[in-house]
């Protein structure tokens, strides 16, 4: 089980993460939506795509 914790709150938890270059990527269903807010910022990676 992998947990993502920020300021003491568990914002994601799953035993089905994908590890890429030492970073765990969580399935969207494992993320606590209440901790997310819309963003006008984007980043782009040539092989992972666009994130916001």
């Amino acid at each position: 089980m992998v947990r993502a914790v920020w300021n003491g709150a568990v914002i994601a938890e799953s035993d089905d993460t994908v590890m890429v270059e030492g970073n765990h990527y969580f399935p969207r269903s494992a993320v606590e939506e209440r901790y997310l807010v819309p963003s006008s910022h984007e980043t782009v990676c040539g092989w992972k795509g666009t994130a916001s």
Side-chain angles (χ1 to χ4, degrees), residues 4 9 14 29 41 51:
S14 178
S29 61
H41 302 286

Side-chain angles (χ1 to χ4, degrees), residues 1-3 8 10 13 15 18-19 21-23 26-27 30 32 35-37 41-42 46-47 50-51:
M1 184 66 65
V2 180
R3 284 191 181 120
V10 177
E13 184 173 45
D15 58 1
V18 175
M19 195 167 198
E21 295 184 355
N23 299 299
F26 290 84
E32 290 287 338
Y35 296 113
L36 302 180
V37 295
H41 302 286
E42 286 187 348
W47 54 280
T50 301

Side-chain angles (χ1 to χ4, degrees), residues 16-31:
D16 188 30
T17 62
V18 175
M19 195 167 198
V20 178
E21 295 184 355
N23 299 299
H24 286 273
Y25 288 83
F26 290 84
R28 182 68 182 230
S29 61
V31 178

Side-chain angles (χ1 to χ4, degrees), residues 38-42 52:
S39 173
S40 62
H41 302 286
E42 286 187 348
S52 62

